Amino acid sequence: VCAHCKNVGELGSMMNCGRCKRVCYCSRACQKAHWKGGGHKKVCASEEGHAEPTVTASRGRDAATLQTPCPICLDAEDNANGDGTHVGMCSNCGQMYCGSCKKGLLSRHVYQCPTCRADLWTPKAENARRLQRLLARPPGRHTTRAQFQLAISYERGHGVARNEAEAVRLYR
């Protein structure tokens, strides 16, 4: 049952709150409405015993003006650093999430992508294969980050044969 609109969804089609995993939503619109206007933001933080993350990335803008909100908190851009942590990106689906939420996921020992549920921590060779698949997709918001991470893999020989020329090509 959707926590906002109370519609009954099919098993597996509902989305859980990315933070507490205790409530479900039938759509992103319902999740956002319940988070902002339905009071879940305060309840979710108090249930988990966590303070609200400090997000500096929205730079004082109204959350409604965000171009690509983080799929977990909906309060910051998904490519924003926060709480001293760099942005996170799933090497399987390319979804990015803000640094504050990445830090929150790690502190609660959540190691699956909040969007596709793939393991975030994989062997270096598997991670390199995933990044190569992301770069084979049509260009999108994931492209630059995937290209940078794959360049690091080639530079350091993580999961692929060390190849300085390929690293330089990807860095450019």
Side-chain angles (χ1 to χ4, degrees), residues 105-125:
L105 288 173
L106 295 175
S107 71
R108 290 189 299 281
H109 307 287
V110 175
Y111 303 116
Q112 284 82 34
C113 171
T115 303
C116 73
R117 302 292 185 229
D119 288 335
L120 292 173
W121 308 110
T122 59
K124 292 175 182 174

Side-chain angles (χ1 to χ4, degrees), residues 85-162:
T85 305
H86 293 289
V87 72
M89 184 187 84
C90 174
S91 61
N92 189 57
C93 69
Q95 176 65 58
M96 292 187 286
Y97 42 94
C98 74
S100 295
C101 288
K102 177 183 175 184
K103 186 175 184 177
L105 288 173
L106 295 175
S107 71
R108 290 189 299 281
H109 307 287
V110 175
Y111 303 116
Q112 284 82 34
C113 171
T115 303
C116 73
R117 302 292 185 229
D119 288 335
L120 292 173
W121 308 110
T122 59
K124 292 175 182 174
E126 174 61 21
N127 194 54
R129 280 192 294 277
R130 286 180 174 187
L131 292 169
Q132 289 167 339
R133 282 195 306 263
L134 280 177
L135 290 176
R137 288 180 13 191
R141 298 188 68 253
H142 65 278
T143 305
T144 305
R145 184 126 182 109
Q147 189 171 339
F148 179 73
Q149 289 179 343
L150 189 58
I152 292 171
S153 295
Y154 276 108
E155 180 180 14
R156 298 177 181 169
H158 290 174
V160 291
R162 190 165 187 235

Side-chain angles (χ1 to χ4, degrees), residues 10-27:
E10 292 181 19
L11 187 61
S13 68
M14 304 290 278
M15 305 179 319
N16 287 333
C17 170
R19 181 181 239 176
C20 71
K21 310 270 190 258
R22 293 183 181 165
V23 295
C24 296
Y25 301 100
C26 63
S27 69

